């Protein structure tokens, strides 16, 4: 790993310890503002965003940053290499019921697009704080022990798993999607869906495989999850872990981004499950 990426990861560790304190002690109520996607921001979203913006802005190797909670790209150093897109607190509406949440970071070279993502990091804030780093074709798990993140293990998916995380509003599913999900359950898959994509995907990665879906639906024809902040980072994690990630027809990392807040349908899983998704959706 090059030293600039190492520095970015070390900075993410610093942010994560600060965000852990914000989650533990912060006010879980709504703010008066909305983000670009139209979600009402929680005070926790805004506070976490400020922490990350302040810390990443100090780095000479960062060209620009863009957050799910900001309308525009923030330029940092014109001659630097790395652009970082992040979701400071994914699943923030779950903090008041004390379910797990996460932060997601995508590290992009040249420009913000799936083709240019070179690294991804996510942090799970659950009973434990864990960080997963996908870089150089490897996926590594670290855990916060006392005050530092310690290496735990590499993450590899099996070719087939047995858990299913089917997102979105079921009343809006297309019939072929409903049939596909029913077929997985008939085949013995078990439901594991918390409503936070970070812990839901983390579970699939650590339990060997399965399928997370957030499809195109009758009301949201481009899904809900955001390409730069949520989808591409996890697509890279699943690719490097030996799984795959598609929008139904195309590899997620091949799709075009026309606007920083673009969303897409997405499926992340081990190879056999993704093959079935492709057969049903393409
Ligand atoms: P965010 O809190 O950043 O807006 O995103 C939450 C996301 C994701 O974590 C989760 O998988 C999805 O929203 C849940 O959506 P549904 O309730 O529609 O399934
Ligand atoms: Mn999110
Ligand atoms: Mn968020």
């Amino acid at each position: 790993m090059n030293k600039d990426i190492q520095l970015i990861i070390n900075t993410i560790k610093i942010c994560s310890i600060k965000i852990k304190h914000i989650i533990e002690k912060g006010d879980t109520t709504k703010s008066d503002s909305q983000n670009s996607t139209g979600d009402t921001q929680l005070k926790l979203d805004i506070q976490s965003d400020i922490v990350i913006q302040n810390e990443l802005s100090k780095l000479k190797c960062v060209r620009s940053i863009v957050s799910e909670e900001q309308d525009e790209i923030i330029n940092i150093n014109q001659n630097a290499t790395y652009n970082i897109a992040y979701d400071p607190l994914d699943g923030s509406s779950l903090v008041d019921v004390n379910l797990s949440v996460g932060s997601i970071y995508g590290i992009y070279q040249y420009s913000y697009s799936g083709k240019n993502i070179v690294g991804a990091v996510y942090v799970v804030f659950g009973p434990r704080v864990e960080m997963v780093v996908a870089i150089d074709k490897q996926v590594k798990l670290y855990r916060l022990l006392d005050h530092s993140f310690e290496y735990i293990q590499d993450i590899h998916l099996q070719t087939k798993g047995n858990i299913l995380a089917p997102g979105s509003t079921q009343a809006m599913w297309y019939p072929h999607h409903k049939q596909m999900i029913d077929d997985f359950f008939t085949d013995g898959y078990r439901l594991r869906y918390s409503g936070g994509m970070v812990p839901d995907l983390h579970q699939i990665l650590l339990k060997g495989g399965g399928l997370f879906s957030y499809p195109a639906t009758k009301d949201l024809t481009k899904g809900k999850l955001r390409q730069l902040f949520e989808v591409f980072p996890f697509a890279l994690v699943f690719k490097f872990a030996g799984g795959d990630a598609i929008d139904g027809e195309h590899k997620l990392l091949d799709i075009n981004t026309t606007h920083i807040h673009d969303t897409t349908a997405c499926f992340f899983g081990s190879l056999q499950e993704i093959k079935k998704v492709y057969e049903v959706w393409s």
Side-chain angles (χ1 to χ4, degrees):
M1 180 185 318
N2 80 41
K3 69 175 189 348
D4 287 345
I5 300 266
Q6 188 64 64
L7 193 61
I8 292 167
I9 291 167
N10 287 344
T11 304
I12 291 173
K13 290 177 184 170
I14 293 167
C15 293
S16 303
I17 292 169
K18 293 187 177 182
I19 293 171
K20 170 179 156 45
H21 292 302
I22 290 171
I23 293 168
E24 284 170 357
K25 302 215 172 94
D27 174 351
T28 60
T29 59
K30 291 177 177 167
S31 72
D32 299 328
S33 50
Q34 291 190 331
N35 64 19
S36 284
T37 317
D39 306 328
T40 299
Q41 295 171 304
L42 299 191
K43 291 171 186 163
L44 296 175
D45 292 314
I46 297 171
Q47 289 167 347
S48 307
D49 188 38
I50 292 169
V51 165
I52 297 172
Q53 187 181 323
N54 287 345
E55 294 297 328
L56 290 179
S57 301
K58 294 177 189 166
L59 303 185
K60 287 206 171 59
C61 63
V62 173
R63 186 182 177 88
S64 75
I65 57 176
V66 64
S67 163
E68 185 183 283
E69 305 303 340
Q70 300 281 337
D71 293 337
E72 305 286 347
I73 293 172
I74 301 171
N75 292 308
I76 312 283
N77 298 300
Q78 213 183 336
N79 297 320
T81 307
Y82 296 108
N83 301 292
I84 304 174
Y86 62 91
D87 180 353
L89 201 56
D90 181 78
S92 52
S93 67
L94 300 172
V95 174
D96 63 356
V97 289
N98 204 15
L99 283 174
S100 299
V101 295
S103 303
I104 311 166
Y105 303 81
I107 305 170
Y108 299 82
Q109 229 171 343
Y110 312 119
S111 70
Y112 291 104
S113 81
K115 289 194 174 69
N116 286 333
I117 189 166
V118 293
V121 180
Y122 70 83
V123 181
V124 193
F125 300 96
R128 296 167 163 183
V129 177
E130 294 189 325
M131 181 175 72
V132 171
V133 178
I135 198 96
D136 300 334
K137 300 192 174 154
Q138 295 176 323
V139 185
K140 294 187 184 291
L141 170 69
Y142 301 83
R143 187 173 298 142
L144 184 62
L145 296 169
D146 297 323
H147 302 291
S148 66
F149 282 88
E150 305 293 335
Y151 170 76
I152 304 293
Q153 66 175 79
D154 280 30
I155 296 178
H156 301 285
L157 283 164
Q158 293 157 17
T159 52
K160 180 188 177 307
N162 60 9
I163 57 178
L164 211 56
S168 78
T169 306
Q170 294 194 20
M172 295 292 158
W173 286 358
Y174 291 111
H176 60 283
H177 182 72
K178 180 171 171 28
Q179 187 64 53
M180 181 185 81
I181 297 295
D182 286 349
D183 290 348
F184 276 118
F185 284 127
T186 305
D187 287 346
Y189 282 74
R190 294 161 68 84
L191 177 67
R192 293 290 181 269
Y193 191 76
S194 74
M197 71 182 300
V198 178
D200 288 337
L201 288 163
H202 193 55
Q203 179 164 197
I204 290 172
L205 286 159
L206 287 179
K207 304 256 189 212
L211 180 71
F212 175 98
S213 51
Y214 208 105
T217 53
K218 292 177 200 162
D219 58 336
L220 296 172
T221 53
K222 300 210 154 181
K224 168 189 179 185
L225 297 175
R226 286 139 283 218
Q227 296 178 6
L228 297 182
F229 317 109
E230 298 170 322
V231 172
F232 294 156
F234 273 109
L236 194 75
V237 172
F238 272 72
K239 179 179 164 184
F240 287 174
D244 213 345
I246 62 174
D247 69 355
E249 286 180 84
H250 313 101
K251 301 252 185 200
L252 283 167
L253 293 178
D254 289 339
I255 67 175
N256 282 328
T257 300
T258 50
H259 185 273
I260 54 173
H261 290 282
D262 278 354
T263 62
T264 178
C266 55
F267 301 85
F268 306 90
S270 28
L271 294 178
Q272 276 202 29
E273 287 83 350
I274 293 294
K275 184 165 172 273
K276 167 139 186 171
V277 172
Y278 182 77
E279 284 163 10
V280 169
W281 274 88
S282 67

